[in-house]
């Protein structure tokens, strides 16, 4: 065995000083206690470091900017045109916004002054077989026109944003309110709107010409006539008391004659009217309605493609001009803050402008054989 050259072969023992047996005993016990204390402290530190939970690092999420989407005039977005000011469009399939969670209601949303009306469960109305079709039976009486030009204000996309829908219902009527079939608690909402003197419609979701989701049970060009009929009936069964339908989005579907025929046929069978929102100049809806002899009318003015307050005011002036020129005009807007504000200041001025607000049933083109006058 090799030895370190600096280490002597035999080291002399180190002599300890003489200690009595009593001193040796106490020293041994002291060393033992010290060892136990040090061991306990050290062990505790080791065990604590092993058992102490370690914080989990937060995941890193990369946020990419959303790509801009081209939107045809009047088709405004997946929720209709407006969610909350500055909110980006979100697919209606996303439960976080359009079909699951309600949007926050403004604190100053008006409360109903009238007692809540009785509400019955919504069911699909049976096919029309009598002498008074539902478009007349559910109509709201128009005020006397006395030779004045008539204006119709249709507010689409009702029923999803509960706060703004309530503010719209509180406006003086008769407005024509078109409710999305995937709105919230529609029997209650529509019953309150009708009680306040507004006319009701179903805002039927239809495929647009851009990549936007119009909502569940939407009518698309990939469907069979049987599936189109099923979806129309499903959407018509969400609430009662309406006079007809108009298209939500639909710049693609309303140009497809094969798909629009079963839609208009279902309206004819149930005694309902068709309002063409005219999101496409190539829409065939009113042409088919005329051939199938159901009441129909086309939109003249969009109120809030420019959602600014001045933009809406400008379109209301355009509505006035069309009404004075032709005797009647139909505008479509949406429950947006500036649209509601502009209507609140504009509606009380109509009488002084030689105009009268009427519901949609007052201006439809009635087919031969049906009376244009309402009971």
């Amino acid at each position: 065995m090799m030895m370190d050259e600096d280490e002597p072969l035999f080291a002399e023992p180190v002599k300890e000083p003489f200690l009595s047996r009593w001193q040796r005993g106490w020293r041994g016990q002291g060393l033992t206690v010290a060892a136990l204390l040090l061991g306990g402290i050290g062990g505790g530190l080791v065990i604590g470091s092993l058992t102490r939970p370690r914080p989990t690092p937060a995941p890193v999420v990369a946020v990419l900017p959303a790509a801009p989407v081209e939107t045809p005039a009047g088709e405004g977005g997946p929720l209709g045109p407006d969610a909350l000011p500055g909110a980006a469009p979100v697919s209606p399939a996303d439960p976080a916004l359009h079909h699951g969670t309600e949007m926050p209601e403004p604190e100053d949303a008006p409360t109903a002054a009238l007692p809540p009306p009785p509400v019955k469960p919504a069911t699909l109305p049976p096919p029309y077989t009598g002498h008074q079709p539902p478009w007349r039976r559910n109509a709201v009486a128009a005020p006397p026109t006395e030779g004045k030009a008539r204006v119709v204000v249709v507010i689409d996309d009702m029923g999803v944003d509960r706060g703004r829908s309530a503010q719209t219902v509180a406006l003086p009527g008769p407005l024509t309110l078109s409710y999305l079939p995937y709105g919230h608690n529609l029997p209650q909402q529509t019953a309150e709107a009708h009680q306040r003197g507004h006319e009701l419609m179903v805002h039927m979701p239809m495929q647009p010409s851009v990549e936007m989701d119009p909502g569940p049970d939407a009518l698309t060009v990939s469907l069979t006539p049987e599936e189109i009929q099923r979806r129309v009936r499903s959407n018509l069964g969400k609430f009662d008391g309406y006079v007809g339908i108009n298209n939500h989005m639909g710049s693609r579907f309303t140009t497809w004659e094969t798909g629009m025929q079963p839609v208009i046929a279902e309206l004819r069978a149930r005694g309902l009217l068709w309002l063409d929102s005219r999101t496409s100049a190539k829409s065939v809806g009113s042409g088919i309605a005329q051939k199938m002899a159901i009441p129909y009318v086309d939109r003249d003015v969009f109120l809030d493609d420019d959602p600014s307050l001045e933009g809406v005011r400008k379109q209301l002036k355009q509505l006035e001009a069309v009404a004075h020129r032709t005797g009647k005009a139909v505008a479509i807007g949406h429950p947006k803050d500036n649209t509601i504000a502009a209507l609140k200041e504009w509606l009380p001025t109509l009488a002084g402008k030689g105009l009268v607000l009427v519901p949609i049933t007052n201006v439809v083109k009635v087919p031969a054989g049906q009376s244009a006058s309402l009971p």
Side-chain angles (χ1 to χ4, degrees), residues 48-68:
S49 64
L50 293 175
T51 59
R52 184 181 301 115
R54 298 178 181 274
T56 304
V60 178
V61 179
V63 179
L64 300 178

Side-chain angles (χ1 to χ4, degrees), residues 27-97:
R27 187 178 71 168
Q29 291 179 15
L31 291 173
T32 302
V33 171
L36 289 173
L37 289 173
L38 290 174
I41 294 171
L45 292 174
V46 172
I47 293 172
S49 64
L50 293 175
T51 59
R52 184 181 301 115
R54 298 178 181 274
T56 304
V60 178
V61 179
V63 179
L64 300 178
V69 178
E70 294 284 336
T71 304
E75 291 194 332
L79 220 202
D82 177 280
L84 293 174
V90 180
S91 167
D94 184 353
L97 183 56

Side-chain angles (χ1 to χ4, degrees), residues 120-130 132-138 181 187 200-202 204 229-245 265-273:
K120 61 180 181 179
T123 57
L124 177 67
Y128 160 65
T129 57
Q132 190 182 42
W135 78 265
R136 297 181 64 203
R137 185 171 65 247
N138 296 328
L200 305 178
M201 296 189 71
V202 177
M204 189 70 64
Q229 183 186 61
R230 186 201 71 77
R231 293 191 180 195
V232 169
R233 291 179 176 179
S234 174
N235 290 328
L236 290 177
K238 297 302 168 47
F239 63 94
D240 300 320
Y242 46 80
V243 298
I245 74 169
E266 191 68 22
L267 297 181
R268 179 182 181 181
R270 300 189 181 278
L272 300 170
L273 65 82

Side-chain angles (χ1 to χ4, degrees), residues 127-167:
Y128 160 65
T129 57
H131 298 290
Q132 190 182 42
W135 78 265
R136 297 181 64 203
R137 185 171 65 247
N138 296 328
V140 171
T145 58
E146 299 174 347
K148 295 180 180 179
R150 295 168 291 168
V151 291
V152 178
V153 175
V154 182
I155 302 297
D156 285 349
D157 295 354
M158 291 288 289
V160 177
D161 184 334
R162 292 286 297 272
R164 291 181 176 88
S165 293
Q167 291 183 61

Side-chain angles (χ1 to χ4, degrees), residues 184-250:
H184 308 288
N185 193 16
L186 291 181
Q188 181 71 39
Q189 286 199 71
T190 55
E192 291 175 357
H194 196 266
Q195 185 185 37
R196 286 183 173 271
H198 302 304
E199 204 158 76
L200 305 178
M201 296 189 71
V202 177
H203 200 30
M204 189 70 64
M206 298 184 182
Q207 181 180 349
S209 57
V210 295
E211 291 298 324
M212 297 172 68
D213 185 354
D217 265 353
L219 309 183
T220 69
V221 297
S222 63
L223 302 177
T224 64
E226 293 75 18
E227 178 61 14
I228 290 173
Q229 183 186 61
R230 186 201 71 77
R231 293 191 180 195
V232 169
R233 291 179 176 179
S234 174
N235 290 328
L236 290 177
K238 297 302 168 47
F239 63 94
D240 300 320
Y242 46 80
V243 298
I245 74 169
N246 70 320
N247 52 293
H248 170 56
M249 301 189 182

